[in-house]
């Protein structure tokens, strides 16, 4: 079921974004009097289509993209039979370069607008709920990766890159991992010192084995939702119970609980419980994974910040463009060899697994869709032949120089670009499968 949920979210999200992207091309083309022959969401074979006027609207069976076929344009169809004749007035190639440029940028512009709208609406609807740095009063849990750079459990991080922090999540922000010469300033038992983060640290953080194992706040907790059919529920643990000990060893924080239970796989476990002020004990057998089956409810207070629409407009726009900045910095680290492409790049399988997840949560779905919309805009603006950015680069040259490249050159560039894109797609899918298996 989780696989179906992940696949469903990915297909719906991509279909929305690709459909709107191609709609941007279509509307711009029609606005300038160009003939649009086809508008498809998904790649062939064709599943369904309907013709309205001069345009066939349809759905393809492969939901990983889409296309708009504009008469007189050399695109992925490589239909060049018409190029020997004089261009008709309604053809793409007959229009001024500035109009063709707007058509090529239409999809990117729509994706940027959609990404901004999603983040603005989410900011206005949900505000911002976060753990304030001042409320993380017990310090951090330092997992192995954190220990490798000198952090310790109990450290209190008071500055990031020399600046005081207000939101605990700033500790794990992109400015830290995608920046250069980043550092934490910590309070360790009253002693202030700086911990420096290697520039290639994000490569280790991207490793599948290290997923989620860097820094967390030390949190007191109580039992939240119980997982049906798991040992905790069967043994009588209840939501609201406070676990005070494991096999007689006192515990207070959630990381102490997980560290104590994880080694006890398929073994008897006795929990000391505080239930409504009354002390009791519960015994159960753990699962083969070293779990008992409940979700914790953390007890550190969260701060809720609501936004007016004007504030949401500013915050949402900043979040949307942060995706672009992060992609630029991420590619920079790949080119400098500070992070491997195999760890940094994901295809459809990785996106479904790592971003959408196996539970359908609408806020998360729209957050990821907004992120993908901005990432799609960024990827498409790259000056790679066959991408919108490649076409735009050639048109920019034509506008500046006043000389139009030959149709043979455009056809060759399209072929080279398609080889590059198919190679990147093959690499991403193979990389996803390899990471999932190994």
């Amino acid at each position: 079921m989780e696989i179906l949920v992940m696949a469903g979210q990915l297909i719906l999200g991509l279909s929305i974004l690709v459909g709107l992207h191609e709609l941007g091309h279509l509307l711009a083309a029609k606005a300038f009097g160009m003939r649009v022959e086809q508008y498809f969401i998904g790649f062939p074979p064709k599943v369904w289509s309907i013709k309205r006027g001069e345009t066939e609207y349809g759905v393809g069976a492969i939901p990983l993209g889409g296309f708009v076929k504009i008469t007189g344009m050399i695109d992925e169809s490589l239909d060049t039979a018409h190029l020997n004749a004089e261009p008709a007035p309604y053809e793409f190639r007959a229009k001024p370069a500035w109009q063709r440029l707007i058509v090529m940028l239409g999809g990117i512009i729509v994706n940027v607008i959609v990404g901004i709208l999603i983040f603005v609406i989410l900011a206005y609807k949900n505000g911002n709920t976060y753990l304030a740095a001042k409320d993380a009063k017990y310090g951090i849990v330092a997992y192995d990766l954190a220990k490798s750079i000198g952090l310790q459990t109990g450290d209190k991080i008071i500055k990031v890159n020399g600046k005081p922090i207000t939101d605990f999540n700033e500790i794990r922000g992109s400015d830290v991992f995608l920046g250069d010469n980043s550092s934490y300033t910590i309070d360790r038992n009253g002693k202030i010192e700086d911990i420096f983060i290697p520039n290639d640290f994000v490569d280790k953080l991207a490793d599948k084995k290290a997923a989620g194992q860097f820094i967390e706040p030390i949190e007191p907790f109580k039992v939240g939702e119980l997982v049906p059919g798991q040992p905790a529920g069967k043994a009588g643990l209840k939501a609201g119970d406070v676990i005070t000990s494991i096999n007689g060893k006192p515990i207070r924080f959630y990381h102490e609980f997980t560290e104590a239970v994880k080694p006890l796989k398929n073994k008897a476990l006795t929990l000391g419980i505080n239930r409504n002020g009354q002390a009791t004990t519960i015994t159960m057998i753990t699962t083969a994974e070293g779990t008992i089956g409940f979700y914790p409810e953390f007890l550190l207070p969260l701060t809720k910040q609501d936004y007016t629409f004007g504030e949401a407009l500013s915050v949402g726009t900043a979040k949307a463009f942060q995706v672009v900045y992060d992609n630029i910095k991420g590619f920079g680290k790949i080119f400098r060899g500070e992070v491997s492409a195999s760890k940094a790049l994901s295809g459809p399988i990785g996106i479904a697994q790592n971003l959408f997840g196996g539970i359908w949560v609408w806020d998360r779905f729209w957050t990821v869709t907004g992120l993908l919309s901005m990432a799609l805009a960024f990827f498409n603006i790259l000056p790679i032949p066959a991408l919108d950015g490649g076409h735009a680069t050639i048109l920019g040259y034509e506008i500046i120089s006043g000389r139009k490249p030959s149709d043979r050159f455009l056809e060759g560039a399209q072929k080279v670009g398609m080889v590059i894109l198919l190679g990147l797609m093959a690499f991403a899918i193979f990389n996803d499968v390899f990471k999932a298996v190994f």
Side-chain angles (χ1 to χ4, degrees):
M1 180 58 74
E2 287 190 358
I3 293 175
L4 292 176
V5 170
M6 286 189 289
Q9 291 182 89
L10 178 66
I11 291 171
L12 178 60
L14 286 181
S15 296
I16 291 171
L17 296 180
V18 169
L20 291 172
H21 177 93
E22 300 302 339
L23 184 64
H25 293 309
L26 179 143
L27 293 176
K30 285 183 176 288
F32 292 124
M34 301 179 194
R35 176 179 291 176
V36 179
E37 299 176 21
Q38 291 180 308
Y39 167 88
F40 267 72
I41 300 174
F43 293 129
K46 179 170 65 178
V47 174
W48 170 88
S49 73
I50 187 171
K51 192 160 187 178
R52 289 287 183 267
E54 64 191 16
T55 307
E56 179 187 14
Y57 301 87
V59 177
I62 303 175
L64 296 178
F67 63 92
V68 167
K69 182 170 177 55
I70 303 171
T71 303
M73 175 182 169
I74 300 176
D75 56 17
E76 59 270 10
S77 68
L78 295 178
D79 180 9
T80 59
H82 60 284
L83 297 180
N84 294 325
E86 284 295 314
Y90 54 77
E91 289 190 33
F92 178 86
R93 61 192 178 124
K95 301 297 181 178
W98 67 269
Q99 292 185 4
R100 285 179 276 137
L101 179 62
I102 292 174
V103 170
M104 294 316 306
L105 295 177
I108 295 170
I109 293 169
V110 168
N111 279 134
V112 170
I113 293 172
V114 169
I116 291 172
L117 280 176
I118 289 174
F119 282 111
V120 168
I121 292 170
L122 287 173
Y124 183 67
K125 172 179 173 283
N126 298 330
N128 182 28
T129 300
Y130 63 97
L131 174 63
K134 64 181 177 60
D135 291 326
K137 56 186 178 181
Y138 303 107
I140 63 165
V141 181
Y143 295 106
D144 287 343
L145 271 180
K147 292 176 182 176
S148 72
I149 62 172
L151 291 169
Q152 297 179 10
T153 295
D155 288 345
K156 296 177 182 177
I157 299 178
I158 55 178
K159 293 181 182 179
V160 172
N161 294 335
K163 299 178 181 178
I165 59 174
T166 56
D167 183 344
F168 184 86
N169 281 323
E170 293 176 57
I171 293 170
R172 300 171 292 201
S174 59
D175 287 344
V176 177
F177 303 128
L178 296 178
D180 294 323
N181 305 314
S182 297
S183 66
Y184 294 131
T185 301
I186 65 167
D187 178 344
R188 180 177 294 165
N189 299 320
K191 181 182 178 182
I192 307 300
E193 59 181 284
D194 291 324
I195 301 291
F196 293 94
I197 304 167
N199 289 337
D200 64 351
F201 186 71
V202 69
D203 191 56
K204 299 177 182 177
L205 201 65
D207 194 286
K208 177 182 175 181
K209 296 177 182 178
Q213 295 294 301
F214 178 52
I215 288 174
E216 296 290 346
I218 294 177
E219 297 229 41
F221 73 104
K222 63 182 178 181
V223 176
E225 182 182 352
L226 293 161
V227 180
Q230 292 294 298
K234 291 179 179 179
L237 196 67
K238 295 182 179 180
D241 286 347
V242 176
I243 299 173
T244 57
S245 67
I246 296 177
N247 292 340
K249 178 182 177 182
I251 67 162
R252 183 182 178 190
F253 303 111
Y254 187 66
H255 75 281
E256 295 174 333
F257 169 82
T258 56
E259 289 172 0
V261 173
K262 191 172 183 179
L264 305 176
K265 300 177 180 181
N266 286 324
K267 292 186 178 180
L269 182 71
T270 299
L271 299 180
I273 302 295
N274 183 327
R275 179 176 294 167
N276 299 322
Q278 299 294 317
T280 186
T281 59
I282 295 177
T283 300
M284 65 193 73
I285 303 295
T286 64
T287 66
E289 293 78 29
T291 62
I292 62 174
F294 74 89
Y295 295 101
E297 180 180 332
F298 296 116
L299 301 178
L300 289 179
L302 297 178
T303 299
K304 174 68 182 296
Q305 181 179 11
D306 292 319
Y307 298 120
T308 65
F309 183 76
E311 290 170 335
L313 189 62
S314 174
V315 170
T317 301
K319 284 186 177 180
F321 280 102
Q322 187 64 47
V323 177
V324 177
Y325 303 147
D326 290 348
N327 272 278
I328 293 171
K329 289 188 285 187
F331 272 99
K333 282 196 172 286
I334 292 174
F335 293 141
R336 292 195 298 270
E338 295 173 0
V339 61
S340 62
S342 62
K343 291 181 181 178
L345 300 179
S346 290
I349 298 173
I351 292 170
Q353 285 182 324
N354 301 325
L355 296 180
F356 283 114
I359 300 174
W360 200 303
V361 180
W362 279 109
D363 278 351
R364 182 173 64 188
F365 169 82
W366 286 114
T367 298
V368 174
T369 301
L371 184 154
L372 290 178
S373 191
M374 297 303 296
L376 185 62
F378 169 76
F379 184 71
N380 267 285
I381 200 64
L382 295 177
I384 299 174
L387 286 178
D388 297 341
H391 289 289
T393 300
I394 294 172
L395 286 166
Y397 165 81
E398 181 181 342
I399 291 171
I400 294 170
S401 68
R403 292 181 294 175
K404 183 178 181 180
S406 68
D407 290 335
R408 178 171 292 183
F409 171 81
L410 296 176
E411 182 182 355
Q414 187 72 19
K415 290 178 179 178
V416 170
M418 288 179 64
V419 169
I420 294 172
L421 293 181
L422 289 173
L424 286 173
M425 183 174 288
F427 170 80
I429 293 174
F430 173 80
N431 192 42
D432 284 350
V433 173
F434 183 83
K435 287 191 288 189
V437 173
F438 299 101

PDB file of all heavy atoms in Angstrom, residues 94-116:
ATOM      1  N   ALA A  94       8.318  31.236 -38.192  1.00  0.00           N
ATOM      2  CA  ALA A  94       7.983  32.456 -38.925  1.00  0.00           C
ATOM      3  C   ALA A  94       7.862  33.675 -38.009  1.00  0.00           C
ATOM      4  O   ALA A  94       7.795  34.806 -38.486  1.00  0.00           O
ATOM      5  CB  ALA A  94       6.673  32.263 -39.698  1.00  0.00           C
ATOM      6  N   LYS A  95       7.843  33.447 -36.713  1.00  0.00           N
ATOM      7  CA  LYS A  95       7.601  34.530 -35.759  1.00  0.00           C
ATOM      8  C   LYS A  95       8.911  35.209 -35.351  1.00  0.00           C
ATOM      9  O   LYS A  95       9.991  34.607 -35.424  1.00  0.00           O
ATOM     10  CB  LYS A  95       6.897  33.989 -34.522  1.00  0.00           C
ATOM     11  CG  LYS A  95       5.555  33.321 -34.820  1.00  0.00           C
ATOM     12  CD  LYS A  95       4.554  34.302 -35.397  1.00  0.00           C
ATOM     13  CE  LYS A  95       3.210  33.642 -35.667  1.00  0.00           C
ATOM     14  NZ  LYS A  95       2.214  34.602 -36.193  1.00  0.00           N
ATOM     15  N   PRO A  96       8.831  36.442 -34.875  1.00  0.00           N
ATOM     16  CA  PRO A  96      10.033  37.145 -34.412  1.00  0.00           C
ATOM     17  C   PRO A  96      10.705  36.396 -33.260  1.00  0.00           C
ATOM     18  O   PRO A  96      10.046  35.686 -32.487  1.00  0.00           O
ATOM     19  CB  PRO A  96       9.501  38.498 -33.942  1.00  0.00           C
ATOM     20  CG  PRO A  96       8.181  38.661 -34.620  1.00  0.00           C
ATOM     21  CD  PRO A  96       7.624  37.289 -34.797  1.00  0.00           C
ATOM     22  N   ALA A  97      12.005  36.575 -33.141  1.00  0.00           N
ATOM     23  CA  ALA A  97      12.773  35.840 -32.123  1.00  0.00           C
ATOM     24  C   ALA A  97      12.268  36.127 -30.718  1.00  0.00           C
ATOM     25  O   ALA A  97      12.238  35.237 -29.870  1.00  0.00           O
ATOM     26  CB  ALA A  97      14.250  36.185 -32.239  1.00  0.00           C
ATOM     27  N   TRP A  98      11.848  37.378 -30.434  1.00  0.00           N
ATOM     28  CA  TRP A  98      11.408  37.711 -29.071  1.00  0.00           C
ATOM     29  C   TRP A  98      10.121  36.967 -28.714  1.00  0.00           C
ATOM     30  O   TRP A  98       9.928  36.586 -27.557  1.00  0.00           O
ATOM     31  CB  TRP A  98      11.247  39.210 -28.895  1.00  0.00           C
ATOM     32  CG  TRP A  98      10.134  39.851 -29.686  1.00  0.00           C
ATOM     33  CD1 TRP A  98      10.215  40.379 -30.939  1.00  0.00           C
ATOM     34  CD2 TRP A  98       8.782  40.028 -29.262  1.00  0.00           C
ATOM     35  NE1 TRP A  98       8.998  40.874 -31.337  1.00  0.00           N
ATOM     36  CE2 TRP A  98       8.091  40.691 -30.327  1.00  0.00           C
ATOM     37  CE3 TRP A  98       8.081  39.716 -28.103  1.00  0.00           C
ATOM     38  CZ2 TRP A  98       6.744  41.011 -30.258  1.00  0.00           C
ATOM     39  CZ3 TRP A  98       6.732  40.049 -28.026  1.00  0.00           C
ATOM     40  CH2 TRP A  98       6.074  40.682 -29.086  1.00  0.00           C
ATOM     41  N   GLN A  99       9.247  36.754 -29.718  1.00  0.00           N
ATOM     42  CA  GLN A  99       8.029  35.989 -29.461  1.00  0.00           C
ATOM     43  C   GLN A  99       8.365  34.517 -29.212  1.00  0.00           C
ATOM     44  O   GLN A  99       7.793  33.873 -28.311  1.00  0.00           O
ATOM     45  CB  GLN A  99       7.058  36.124 -30.630  1.00  0.00           C
ATOM     46  CG  GLN A  99       6.479  37.517 -30.790  1.00  0.00           C
ATOM     47  CD  GLN A  99       5.435  37.595 -31.886  1.00  0.00           C
ATOM     48  OE1 GLN A  99       5.074  36.597 -32.509  1.00  0.00           O
ATOM     49  NE2 GLN A  99       4.939  38.811 -32.142  1.00  0.00           N
ATOM     50  N   ARG A 100       9.271  33.981 -30.021  1.00  0.00           N
ATOM     51  CA  ARG A 100       9.682  32.576 -29.825  1.00  0.00           C
ATOM     52  C   ARG A 100      10.337  32.389 -28.450  1.00  0.00           C
ATOM     53  O   ARG A 100      10.168  31.357 -27.801  1.00  0.00           O
ATOM     54  CB  ARG A 100      10.636  32.154 -30.938  1.00  0.00           C
ATOM     55  CG  ARG A 100       9.926  31.919 -32.264  1.00  0.00           C
ATOM     56  CD  ARG A 100      10.894  31.525 -33.365  1.00  0.00           C
ATOM     57  NE  ARG A 100      11.508  32.695 -33.974  1.00  0.00           N
ATOM     58  CZ  ARG A 100      12.794  32.793 -34.277  1.00  0.00           C
ATOM     59  NH1 ARG A 100      13.637  31.806 -33.994  1.00  0.00           N
ATOM     60  NH2 ARG A 100      13.263  33.878 -34.846  1.00  0.00           N
ATOM     61  N   LEU A 101      11.091  33.412 -28.006  1.00  0.00           N
ATOM     62  CA  LEU A 101      11.738  33.330 -26.696  1.00  0.00           C
ATOM     63  C   LEU A 101      10.699  33.282 -25.588  1.00  0.00           C
ATOM     64  O   LEU A 101      10.807  32.485 -24.650  1.00  0.00           O
ATOM     65  CB  LEU A 101      12.670  34.532 -26.512  1.00  0.00           C
ATOM     66  CG  LEU A 101      13.400  34.611 -25.167  1.00  0.00           C
ATOM     67  CD1 LEU A 101      14.307  33.400 -24.978  1.00  0.00           C
ATOM     68  CD2 LEU A 101      14.211  35.900 -25.076  1.00  0.00           C
ATOM     69  N   ILE A 102       9.665  34.113 -25.685  1.00  0.00           N
ATOM     70  CA  ILE A 102       8.611  34.106 -24.662  1.00  0.00           C
ATOM     71  C   ILE A 102       7.903  32.761 -24.634  1.00  0.00           C
ATOM     72  O   ILE A 102       7.582  32.227 -23.564  1.00  0.00           O
ATOM     73  CB  ILE A 102       7.616  35.255 -24.915  1.00  0.00           C
ATOM     74  CG1 ILE A 102       8.300  36.598 -24.658  1.00  0.00           C
ATOM     75  CG2 ILE A 102       6.379  35.116 -24.027  1.00  0.00           C
ATOM     76  CD1 ILE A 102       7.455  37.806 -25.011  1.00  0.00           C
ATOM     77  N   VAL A 103       7.656  32.178 -25.813  1.00  0.00           N
ATOM     78  CA  VAL A 103       7.022  30.856 -25.876  1.00  0.00           C
ATOM     79  C   VAL A 103       7.886  29.814 -25.176  1.00  0.00           C
ATOM     80  O   VAL A 103       7.390  28.987 -24.401  1.00  0.00           O
ATOM     81  CB  VAL A 103       6.758  30.443 -27.339  1.00  0.00           C
ATOM     82  CG1 VAL A 103       6.319  28.978 -27.420  1.00  0.00           C
ATOM     83  CG2 VAL A 103       5.701  31.340 -27.961  1.00  0.00           C
ATOM     84  N   MET A 104       9.195  29.859 -25.421  1.00  0.00           N
ATOM     85  CA  MET A 104      10.082  28.867 -24.815  1.00  0.00           C
ATOM     86  C   MET A 104      10.183  29.052 -23.304  1.00  0.00           C
ATOM     87  O   MET A 104      10.369  28.090 -22.557  1.00  0.00           O
ATOM     88  CB  MET A 104      11.482  28.942 -25.427  1.00  0.00           C
ATOM     89  CG  MET A 104      11.548  28.551 -26.891  1.00  0.00           C
ATOM     90  SD  MET A 104      10.588  27.069 -27.296  1.00  0.00           S
ATOM     91  CE  MET A 104      11.208  25.872 -26.143  1.00  0.00           C
ATOM     92  N   LEU A 105      10.052  30.288 -22.833  1.00  0.00           N
ATOM     93  CA  LEU A 105      10.134  30.546 -21.394  1.00  0.00           C
ATOM     94  C   LEU A 105       8.775  30.420 -20.701  1.00  0.00           C
ATOM     95  O   LEU A 105       8.709  30.488 -19.472  1.00  0.00           O
ATOM     96  CB  LEU A 105      10.701  31.946 -21.138  1.00  0.00           C
ATOM     97  CG  LEU A 105      12.143  32.190 -21.588  1.00  0.00           C
ATOM     98  CD1 LEU A 105      12.533  33.635 -21.335  1.00  0.00           C
ATOM     99  CD2 LEU A 105      13.101  31.236 -20.874  1.00  0.00           C
ATOM    100  N   GLY A 106       7.705  30.227 -21.487  1.00  0.00           N
ATOM    101  CA  GLY A 106       6.361  30.181 -20.910  1.00  0.00           C
ATOM    102  C   GLY A 106       6.185  29.111 -19.850  1.00  0.00           C
ATOM    103  O   GLY A 106       5.578  29.350 -18.796  1.00  0.00           O
ATOM    104  N   GLY A 107       6.714  27.919 -20.101  1.00  0.00           N
ATOM    105  CA  GLY A 107       6.585  26.824 -19.131  1.00  0.00           C
ATOM    106  C   GLY A 107       7.334  27.106 -17.848  1.00  0.00           C
ATOM    107  O   GLY A 107       6.842  26.834 -16.747  1.00  0.00           O
ATOM    108  N   ILE A 108       8.536  27.659 -17.975  1.00  0.00           N
ATOM    109  CA  ILE A 108       9.347  27.987 -16.799  1.00  0.00           C
ATOM    110  C   ILE A 108       8.653  29.044 -15.956  1.00  0.00           C
ATOM    111  O   ILE A 108       8.584  28.934 -14.724  1.00  0.00           O
ATOM    112  CB  ILE A 108      10.743  28.463 -17.235  1.00  0.00           C
ATOM    113  CG1 ILE A 108      11.497  27.326 -17.930  1.00  0.00           C
ATOM    114  CG2 ILE A 108      11.537  28.991 -16.044  1.00  0.00           C
ATOM    115  CD1 ILE A 108      12.782  27.754 -18.603  1.00  0.00           C
ATOM    116  N   ILE A 109       8.126  30.075 -16.637  1.00  0.00           N
ATOM    117  CA  ILE A 109       7.441  31.149 -15.914  1.00  0.00           C
ATOM    118  C   ILE A 109       6.252  30.599 -15.140  1.00  0.00           C
ATOM    119  O   ILE A 109       6.036  30.953 -13.969  1.00  0.00           O
ATOM    120  CB  ILE A 109       7.000  32.249 -16.900  1.00  0.00           C
ATOM    121  CG1 ILE A 109       8.231  32.945 -17.482  1.00  0.00           C
ATOM    122  CG2 ILE A 109       6.083  33.249 -16.218  1.00  0.00           C
ATOM    123  CD1 ILE A 109       7.935  33.866 -18.645  1.00  0.00           C
ATOM    124  N   VAL A 110       5.476  29.720 -15.766  1.00  0.00           N
ATOM    125  CA  VAL A 110       4.314  29.125 -15.083  1.00  0.00           C
ATOM    126  C   VAL A 110       4.763  28.305 -13.879  1.00  0.00           C
ATOM    127  O   VAL A 110       4.159  28.386 -12.803  1.00  0.00           O
ATOM    128  CB  VAL A 110       3.492  28.267 -16.060  1.00  0.00           C
ATOM    129  CG1 VAL A 110       2.474  27.413 -15.296  1.00  0.00           C
ATOM    130  CG2 VAL A 110       2.764  29.149 -17.059  1.00  0.00           C
ATOM    131  N   ASN A 111       5.838  27.512 -14.025  1.00  0.00           N
ATOM    132  CA  ASN A 111       6.315  26.710 -12.894  1.00  0.00           C
ATOM    133  C   ASN A 111       6.766  27.583 -11.730  1.00  0.00           C
ATOM    134  O   ASN A 111       6.532  27.248 -10.565  1.00  0.00           O
ATOM    135  CB  ASN A 111       7.457  25.786 -13.322  1.00  0.00           C
ATOM    136  CG  ASN A 111       6.972  24.522 -14.008  1.00  0.00           C
ATOM    137  OD1 ASN A 111       7.491  24.118 -15.038  1.00  0.00           O
ATOM    138  ND2 ASN A 111       5.956  23.880 -13.434  1.00  0.00           N
ATOM    139  N   VAL A 112       7.403  28.711 -12.029  1.00  0.00           N
ATOM    140  CA  VAL A 112       7.816  29.629 -10.964  1.00  0.00           C
ATOM    141  C   VAL A 112       6.588  30.215 -10.267  1.00  0.00           C
ATOM    142  O   VAL A 112       6.522  30.259  -9.027  1.00  0.00           O
ATOM    143  CB  VAL A 112       8.706  30.752 -11.526  1.00  0.00           C
ATOM    144  CG1 VAL A 112       8.938  31.838 -10.476  1.00  0.00           C
ATOM    145  CG2 VAL A 112      10.043  30.195 -12.000  1.00  0.00           C
ATOM    146  N   ILE A 113       5.602  30.637 -11.052  1.00  0.00           N
ATOM    147  CA  ILE A 113       4.383  31.205 -10.469  1.00  0.00           C
ATOM    148  C   ILE A 113       3.672  30.170  -9.603  1.00  0.00           C
ATOM    149  O   ILE A 113       3.226  30.469  -8.482  1.00  0.00           O
ATOM    150  CB  ILE A 113       3.446  31.718 -11.582  1.00  0.00           C
ATOM    151  CG1 ILE A 113       4.075  32.921 -12.283  1.00  0.00           C
ATOM    152  CG2 ILE A 113       2.084  32.087 -11.009  1.00  0.00           C
ATOM    153  CD1 ILE A 113       3.322  33.379 -13.514  1.00  0.00           C
ATOM    154  N   VAL A 114       3.569  28.932 -10.103  1.00  0.00           N
ATOM    155  CA  VAL A 114       2.900  27.859  -9.346  1.00  0.00           C
ATOM    156  C   VAL A 114       3.648  27.571  -8.050  1.00  0.00           C
ATOM    157  O   VAL A 114       3.044  27.432  -6.981  1.00  0.00           O
ATOM    158  CB  VAL A 114       2.786  26.580 -10.201  1.00  0.00           C
ATOM    159  CG1 VAL A 114       2.339  25.391  -9.348  1.00  0.00           C
ATOM    160  CG2 VAL A 114       1.793  26.791 -11.337  1.00  0.00           C
ATOM    161  N   GLY A 115       4.985  27.485  -8.133  1.00  0.00           N
ATOM    162  CA  GLY A 115       5.773  27.232  -6.924  1.00  0.00           C
ATOM    163  C   GLY A 115       5.577  28.320  -5.882  1.00  0.00           C
ATOM    164  O   GLY A 115       5.373  28.034  -4.693  1.00  0.00           O
ATOM    165  N   ILE A 116       5.610  29.570  -6.316  1.00  0.00           N
ATOM    166  CA  ILE A 116       5.410  30.685  -5.382  1.00  0.00           C
ATOM    167  C   ILE A 116       4.017  30.626  -4.775  1.00  0.00           C
ATOM    168  O   ILE A 116       3.849  30.777  -3.554  1.00  0.00           O
ATOM    169  CB  ILE A 116       5.646  32.028  -6.099  1.00  0.00           C
ATOM    170  CG1 ILE A 116       7.132  32.194  -6.452  1.00  0.00           C
ATOM    171  CG2 ILE A 116       5.184  33.195  -5.227  1.00  0.00           C
ATOM    172  CD1 ILE A 116       7.415  33.396  -7.312  1.00  0.00           C
TER     173      ILE A 116
END
